[in-house]
Amino acid sequence: MLIAGEKRTTIWPDADGNGVFIIDQTRLPHRIETVLLRNLDDAARAIKDMLVRGAPLIGVTAAYGVALAMRADASDDGLARAREVLRKTRPTAVNLAWALEQIGQFLAQMPEELRRDSAMTFAKHLAEKDIACNSAIGDNGLAILRTLAEKREGKPLRILTHCNAGWLATVDWGTATAPIYKAQAAGIPLHVFVDETRPRNQGAFLTAFELGQQGVSHELIVDNAGGHLMQHGEVDVCIVGADRIAANGDACNKIGTYLKALAAKDNGVPFYVAAPVSTFDFALASGSLIPIEERAQDEVTHMSGEADSGELVTVRIAPKTTPAKNPGFDVTPARLVTGIITEKGVFAADAQALAALS
């Protein structure tokens, strides 16, 4: 999508193929900076420290991380080590394990001397596949938004998002935002309410940034305002992403998603999850089995931003003696999900409807 009018993606190999560039998302929206990943450790740190984030982008970055590792050690032991190091970086997003399995199976079938170049080629393939996949999610979601927009009789369709499931969470297009960008291109008037998404503020920092760069009408709201807006008839549809979806349609996403789904159900607002098929974990019967990442306390007790001086600062917002609990995700039960938008179509959130995808 666009940054300062220039077409960008979140990750791309450098010219000689010996490194991979990423947009450092910990610096957005105040700084637009790129980082060159040169080896396995760089890729692992980028995922763990959330320089890249979002389930699809984590998976692609992991594939590139394996490719970089093959430049140092293309043996079976080197491949196994690379996959294990990357697997441990983030436990919740299933796309990470999916991508590592894909590239691992591919490389295991070939001689070690061919793995160096083949790994990078395969990682590029996964990146291109992600772009095509998200574009298809956008097309399938566009049909939903078009139908809802017709009821608005020319007035903007009002959409609520949570966290960042935009192009910054993928290679391009995004998952939850892909239908929004497709609708914009189709000339459908719309307006997006952007949850700030504490504690890391991915809505305020990232979703608001990319919508603004793309010229999409939007407003930033605090996390707890969504229910109020729905009560007063100011939201027509909710669209969120997912980091893992169980076989029964339970969807794990950024903490706070569950509360939006409850409010949507209570107020008759359609609630859609947008995610690629690679986000499904059909080995898990329900969302209760999804591991929930517990992140550092300082994400809750501190907040970062840009001071009036232009300096990027981090400040404490809680008493020094107050501990914090910081689960990174919650699970929205399938009964609260209107439908799941995938590259293969839109599916009901139940085991029978989703069985075909497995």
Side-chain angles (χ1 to χ4, degrees), residues 134-155:
N134 293 321
S135 179
I137 289 173
D139 292 333
N140 293 328
L142 171 60
I144 295 170
L145 298 190
R146 193 186 299 277
T147 299
L148 292 171
E150 290 173 355
K151 301 176 182 178
R152 295 286 295 158
E153 298 179 341
K155 293 182 288 186

Side-chain angles (χ1 to χ4, degrees), residues 150-163:
E150 290 173 355
K151 301 176 182 178
R152 295 286 295 158
E153 298 179 341
K155 293 182 288 186
L157 181 68
R158 299 159 301 180
I159 303 167
L160 177 69
T161 68
H162 187 67
C163 196

Side-chain angles (χ1 to χ4, degrees), residues 315-343:
V315 298
R316 175 180 286 275
I317 62 171
K320 291 182 178 180
T321 56
T322 298
K325 187 171 181 59
N326 186 19
F329 303 87
D330 59 24
V331 175
T332 297
R335 61 183 171 79
L336 302 178
V337 178
T338 306
I340 302 177
I341 308 169
T342 77
E343 72 272 28

